[in-house]
Amino acid sequence: MLSLIGLLTIVVIVGLLISNKITPIVALVLVPIVAAFVAGFSFAEIGDFFNSGIESVMSVVIMFIFAILFFGIMQDVGLFDPLINKMIAVSRGNVIAVAVGTVLIAAVAQLDGSGASTFLITIPALLPLYKRLKMNPYLLLLLVGTSASIMNMLPWGGPLGRTAAVLGVDVTELWRPLIKVQVIGLVLLIGLAVLLAIREKRLIAKRGDYNEELYEEAQPLVKGAQDEASLKAASLRRPKLLWVNTLLAIAVIGILVWGIIPAGFAFMIGVSLALPLNYPNMKDQMDRIKDHAPNALLMAAIILAAGSFLGILNGTLMLDSIANDLVKILPAFVIPYLHIIIGFLGVPFDLLLSTDAYYFALFPIVEQVVTEFGVSSLSAAYAMIIGNIIGTFVSPFSPALWLALGLAGLEMGRHIRYSLPIMWGFSIVLLGISILIGVV
């Protein structure tokens, strides 16, 4: 019963997110509360689950608020203008070159193993370029997310760390066979980026500027408002301070990658330095904060709601129950191939299970079952890692994805509709190749 309630809860939430009928905050807060009551938990217990969930995302929320402010200020002062202009000059407005460049930039940015920092580095820098070239911003999110997922097979990435903890093996030894999978995955993704870019060029010719369509849906502009906004943006530029702002941004990102202090603290310091550096007048400083605060606070609220959602589903043990019962109901003849089956379904599982539930609840059961039939523990691990990891950034369970959506001003439902089929297909191909080359 607990599994059914949990599964129905997740299906309802994902359905609501895809349908765009209500805001994510409403879906993520109310549906799990109702489910917990139906499962027999008291209001006091639900409150404890909430506290636990909020604690797990609080650092992301703090980072999110100050990261939005920091990159918003950097955008205002024109820090990314030279980069955008250079990329356009190099690509000559070539949509294919931009798509391939997106994959490579995201791969480098993900070397620190943090999806949040990857999105913080790539989205603010590349989104204006996509808009200028009239490219679909959901393509940007798809390419960055998939590239980051491939690179997330690093030893310091979450999936390998969790798997190594379950198996009791050295994480570096676990990673070495995956190096060739990462290389193959990036090569395949570059090829996919070329194909998607060719499709995008055709769509641009047919539909025009996708970004204008998004903007008109969200907030129609009166005649002349864009000209006024351009004049305002020009007044905020600080070209004479370009190198100073560049050094500040590099320092903040470097500290972020180094990990010597919490990311939220790094961005808090960055904001505190950027404001007086570029806008000595206090009123101007407050205006910059007021301009960027609505986006930061809105998405911070959504991340907090996601924390409540995760806290309740984890606290009620619904996720653990789902993982156990999914294995029990499978027919006996598929059990020797269970790790491969779960791997092929890994991306959809990202819509049903959190990363912790997948690796700490589902994986140990699958590994225990298949090893009884002569399958090695490492083979089971690789199948489930490769099959699941590509879907990391298409899942509502990923706080980093909510961060990316906030940075790009996009919607979860549209992202799932656009990216899920492509990511799932890519995951299946990569898993199939891994089987052929003997990793699985």
Side-chain angles (χ1 to χ4, degrees), residues 198-258:
I198 293 172
R199 185 187 72 169
E200 188 67 16
K201 288 178 67 175
R202 295 172 182 167
L203 292 175
I204 291 171
K206 182 185 298 184
R207 70 167 183 248
D209 191 343
Y210 182 88
N211 300 284
E212 281 183 7
E213 176 189 335
L214 278 181
Y215 196 73
E216 288 168 4
E217 289 179 7
Q219 45 180 347
L221 294 176
V222 297
K223 182 176 174 56
Q226 277 190 316
D227 293 335
E228 182 181 342
S230 297
L231 289 173
K232 180 181 178 183
S235 70
L236 297 173
R237 294 293 190 260
R238 297 293 186 268
K240 293 182 180 179
L241 296 174
L242 176 62
W243 287 109
V244 179
N245 284 309
T246 300
L247 290 174
L248 176 60
I250 291 173
V252 171
I253 293 171
I255 291 172
L256 186 73
V257 173
W258 188 11

Side-chain angles (χ1 to χ4, degrees), residues 67-253:
I68 288 292
L69 293 177
F70 179 76
F71 282 113
I73 295 168
M74 292 296 100
Q75 185 76 29
D76 290 340
V77 301
L79 176 66
F80 301 118
D81 290 353
L83 175 62
I84 295 168
N85 294 332
K86 184 66 176 177
M87 287 188 69
I88 289 178
V90 170
S91 64
R92 297 181 180 178
N94 190 317
V95 173
I96 295 175
V98 171
V100 172
T102 299
V103 172
L104 298 177
I105 292 170
V108 173
Q110 184 64 23
L111 285 174
D112 69 338
S114 170
S117 63
T118 297
F119 289 124
L120 287 167
I121 292 167
T122 57
I123 300 295
L126 294 175
L127 183 62
L129 177 60
Y130 271 66
K131 288 183 176 180
R132 195 176 296 184
L133 295 178
K134 303 180 180 180
M135 296 172 68
N136 190 334
Y138 288 97
L139 175 60
L140 168 61
L141 202 58
L142 166 65
L143 294 177
V144 172
T146 307
S147 181
S149 296
I150 293 170
M151 294 304 296
N152 208 32
M153 296 182 202
L154 293 167
W156 49 90
L160 260 67
R162 290 177 176 88
T163 304
V166 171
L167 295 179
V169 300
D170 180 73
V171 69
T172 306
E173 294 295 326
L174 185 64
W175 170 58
R176 283 173 184 156
L178 290 174
I179 296 175
K180 52 189 173 185
V181 177
Q182 289 179 289
V183 173
I184 293 171
L186 284 176
V187 172
L188 289 176
L189 184 57
I190 289 172
L192 177 62
V194 171
L195 294 177
L196 292 176
I198 293 172
R199 185 187 72 169
E200 188 67 16
K201 288 178 67 175
R202 295 172 182 167
L203 292 175
I204 291 171
K206 182 185 298 184
R207 70 167 183 248
D209 191 343
Y210 182 88
N211 300 284
E212 281 183 7
E213 176 189 335
L214 278 181
Y215 196 73
E216 288 168 4
E217 289 179 7
Q219 45 180 347
L221 294 176
V222 297
K223 182 176 174 56
Q226 277 190 316
D227 293 335
E228 182 181 342
S230 297
L231 289 173
K232 180 181 178 183
S235 70
L236 297 173
R237 294 293 190 260
R238 297 293 186 268
K240 293 182 180 179
L241 296 174
L242 176 62
W243 287 109
V244 179
N245 284 309
T246 300
L247 290 174
L248 176 60
I250 291 173
V252 171
I253 293 171

Side-chain angles (χ1 to χ4, degrees), residues 176-380:
R176 283 173 184 156
L178 290 174
I179 296 175
K180 52 189 173 185
V181 177
Q182 289 179 289
V183 173
I184 293 171
L186 284 176
V187 172
L188 289 176
L189 184 57
I190 289 172
L192 177 62
V194 171
L195 294 177
L196 292 176
I198 293 172
R199 185 187 72 169
E200 188 67 16
K201 288 178 67 175
R202 295 172 182 167
L203 292 175
I204 291 171
K206 182 185 298 184
R207 70 167 183 248
D209 191 343
Y210 182 88
N211 300 284
E212 281 183 7
E213 176 189 335
L214 278 181
Y215 196 73
E216 288 168 4
E217 289 179 7
Q219 45 180 347
L221 294 176
V222 297
K223 182 176 174 56
Q226 277 190 316
D227 293 335
E228 182 181 342
S230 297
L231 289 173
K232 180 181 178 183
S235 70
L236 297 173
R237 294 293 190 260
R238 297 293 186 268
K240 293 182 180 179
L241 296 174
L242 176 62
W243 287 109
V244 179
N245 284 309
T246 300
L247 290 174
L248 176 60
I250 291 173
V252 171
I253 293 171
I255 291 172
L256 186 73
V257 173
W258 188 11
I260 189 173
I261 59 175
F265 190 28
F267 283 114
M268 192 181 293
I269 295 172
V271 169
S272 301
L273 292 174
L275 282 173
L277 173 66
N278 293 284
Y279 307 102
N281 184 282
M282 190 182 73
K283 182 181 182 301
D284 292 339
Q285 295 174 19
M286 293 304 297
D287 286 343
R288 294 300 86 234
I289 293 173
K290 289 177 182 177
D291 270 10
H292 299 293
N295 289 334
L297 292 176
L298 174 61
M299 290 310 300
I302 292 177
I303 292 175
L304 288 170
S308 173
F309 164 53
L310 293 172
I312 292 174
L313 264 67
N314 277 310
T316 57
L317 300 181
M318 289 183 188
L319 292 180
D320 290 345
S321 181
I322 291 172
N324 282 283
D325 288 344
L326 281 176
V327 173
K328 292 177 182 177
I329 63 175
L330 292 173
F333 71 90
V334 304
I335 291 179
Y337 311 101
L338 186 57
H339 59 304
I340 295 176
I341 294 171
I342 298 295
F344 272 82
L345 298 174
V347 172
F349 265 112
D350 263 317
L351 299 180
L352 299 175
L353 301 173
S354 69
T355 303
D356 285 335
Y358 185 85
Y359 287 101
F360 290 141
L362 182 59
F363 169 61
I365 299 170
V366 173
E367 186 267 338
Q368 184 176 3
V369 170
V370 298
T371 51
E372 294 294 327
F373 290 81
V375 178
S376 74
S377 296
L378 288 178
S379 181

